[in-house]
Amino acid sequence: MAIAIDEKGTITLYQGDSGEIAVSGLDNTKNYMVYFAIQDKKRNLIGSELQVAANKTSSIVFFLTPDYTDLLEVPKGKSYEIYTYGIKACETENNVEDTLFVYDSNYGDQNMIIVYPRKVAGG
């Protein structure tokens, strides 16, 4: 379990690990491009936004690579670091953009990513 997501949408992972984030419940009559972005506590974008074409399906999957999660640094002396993330669905045909709520979140709620320091470098 490289990436865990709890019932409130909080993502937990080790820096440098990979995994998938599934997004479901999309309107399959619309042709969405879905975006995923991570920010630090100063609201700086971490890496590039990820994007996946839904192609009129009700769910998509973002794959977070080791290189991407390696950008999520944990300062020395801290046991973990908290980042935030957002997901947006853009309807390409009608130029409509919707920021998606994760689980039971509301306006102003933060979708958190809790990052623990790398345990081992691996191959």
Side-chain angles (χ1 to χ4, degrees):
M1 172 171 56
I3 293 179
I5 304 173
D6 71 14
E7 68 280 349
K8 294 185 179 186
T10 299
I11 298 169
T12 305
L13 58 88
Y14 284 105
Q15 179 186 8
D17 279 2
S18 61
E20 297 178 347
I21 297 173
V23 177
S24 60
L26 299 171
D27 182 345
N28 64 0
T29 66
K30 300 184 188 287
N31 192 25
Y32 286 119
M33 180 65 73
V34 186
Y35 298 87
F36 175 87
I38 300 173
Q39 294 180 344
D40 65 17
K41 59 186 162 193
K42 294 182 180 178
R43 297 170 74 187
N44 296 311
L45 182 65
I46 303 298
S48 299
E49 287 188 359
L50 303 179
Q51 64 183 45
V52 174
N55 297 319
K56 295 190 176 184
T57 60
S58 62
S59 63
I60 57 95
V61 174
F62 290 104
F63 183 74
L64 278 57
T65 65
D67 287 340
Y68 189 70
T69 67
D70 200 41
L71 300 172
L72 305 173
E73 297 179 353
V74 180
K76 286 193 185 276
K78 287 188 75 175
S79 55
Y80 62 89
E81 184 69 7
I82 296 177
Y83 293 84
T84 58
Y85 72 94
I87 299 172
K88 181 175 270 195
C90 298
E91 186 183 354
T92 55
E93 294 159 0
N94 294 322
N95 201 27
V96 174
E97 296 186 9
D98 291 316
T99 298
L100 303 181
F101 290 113
V102 178
Y103 298 91
D104 291 326
S105 62
N106 297 299
Y107 279 99
D109 289 350
Q110 296 293 321
N111 304 317
M112 294 190 311
I113 300 179
I114 301 170
V115 180
Y116 290 92
R118 175 187 325 278
K119 292 280 185 181
V120 61

